[in-house]
């Protein structure tokens, strides 16, 4: 009886999608922020990622890095109240902030931030939200939808310092004032 596997061709490796490629790029950027690889090594690895066609080629680029940890998330939910987070507090990689008719202040200036990027997913209605960022931080509000509201971003012109924390604010504001300084 002949071995059936001899007649079959070995399956070809799966091709990598753009979304998978971008996840690998994010993992490499995180590795730089963690001090695992240098900027020069990042450039080399990015070159390999963007020229790769298959998953095994891309997997080889991150084989010596630990698996990416899932984003640590904290949910802040406030209704008709005042919330204040300031002083020394541990900032997660993702803050999910939901406010209705509330005042919420998130002061990051003395907080412990162990991530190169902090994502703030903001859903606020009839509220006032104030973000106080640490020195050297940068902020992006490009993913924020504002309806009958107002955003005052005093960080825009600074652009952040090398090694400063990046803040990405996304979500929806309805009749809400957002102050970032």
């Amino acid at each position: 009886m002949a071995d059936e596997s001899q007649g079959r061709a070995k399956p070809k490796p799966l091709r990598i999608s753009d979304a998978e490629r971008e996840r690998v790029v994010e993992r490499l950027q995180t590795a730089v922020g963690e001090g695992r690889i240098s900027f020069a090594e990042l450039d080399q690895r990015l070159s390999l990622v963007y020229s790769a066609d298959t998953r095994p080629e891309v997997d080889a680029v991150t084989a010596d890095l630990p698996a990416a940890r899932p984003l640590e998330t904290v949910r802040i939910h406030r209704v008709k109240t005042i919330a204040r987070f300031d002083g020394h507090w541990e900032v997660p990689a993702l803050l999910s902030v939901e406010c209705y008719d509330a005042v919420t202040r998130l002061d990051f200036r003395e907080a412990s931030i162990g991530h190169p990027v902090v994502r703030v997913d903001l859903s606020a209605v009839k509220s006032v939200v104030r973000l106080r960022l640490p020195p050297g931080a940068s902020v992006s509000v490009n993913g924020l939808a504002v309806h009958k509201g107002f955003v005052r971003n005093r960080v825009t012109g600074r652009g952040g310092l090398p090694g400063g924390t990046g803040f990405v604010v996304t979500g929806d504001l309805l009749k809400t004032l957002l102050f970032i300084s």
Side-chain angles (χ1 to χ4, degrees):
M1 186 166 172
D3 186 6
E4 292 179 15
S5 65
Q6 290 177 355
R8 282 191 228 154
K10 192 174 184 179
K12 290 185 179 183
L14 294 176
R15 296 185 69 81
I16 189 163
S17 71
D18 288 340
E20 291 171 309
R21 191 181 318 273
E22 289 307 312
R23 281 193 295 275
V24 172
V25 168
E26 287 178 17
R27 177 64 195 114
L28 291 172
Q29 290 170 336
T30 299
V32 169
E34 295 170 343
R36 296 184 190 278
I37 61 175
S38 68
F39 284 109
E41 194 171 355
L42 173 67
D43 288 341
Q44 293 169 350
R45 291 181 186 221
L46 287 176
S47 172
L48 292 170
V49 168
Y50 285 118
S51 65
D53 293 321
T54 65
R55 285 186 183 167
E57 291 174 303
V58 172
D59 290 344
V61 174
T62 59
D64 63 338
L65 298 174
R69 295 181 311 219
L71 286 180
E72 177 188 348
T73 304
V74 168
R75 182 175 177 250
I76 300 169
H77 181 78
R78 296 292 185 260
V79 176
K80 296 187 181 223
T81 183
I82 297 173
R84 189 172 165 177
F85 294 81
D86 59 7
H88 297 287
W89 60 292
E90 191 73 30
V91 178
L94 175 63
L95 279 166
S96 176
V97 182
E98 300 170 10
C99 306
Y100 177 81
D101 199 15
V103 176
T104 302
R105 178 180 173 185
L106 302 173
D107 190 337
F108 299 97
R109 293 176 297 174
E110 295 178 24
S112 174
I113 304 172
H115 320 281
V117 176
V118 174
R119 299 176 200 274
V120 180
D121 184 23
L122 183 57
S123 176
V125 178
K126 294 173 39 177
S127 296
V128 176
V129 179
R130 179 167 187 157
L131 306 179
R132 299 289 309 260
L133 306 186
S138 62
V139 66
S140 168
V141 293
N142 294 336
L144 193 60
V146 182
H147 312 280
K148 296 183 180 180
F150 179 96
V151 176
R152 173 176 269 162
N153 180 3
R154 295 190 176 206
V155 179
T156 306
R158 292 191 283 189
L161 298 174
T165 304
F167 287 81
V168 178
V169 182
T170 60
D172 294 298
L173 303 181
L174 175 62
K175 296 182 181 178
T176 294
L177 305 177
L178 172 62
F179 299 98
I180 305 171
S181 60

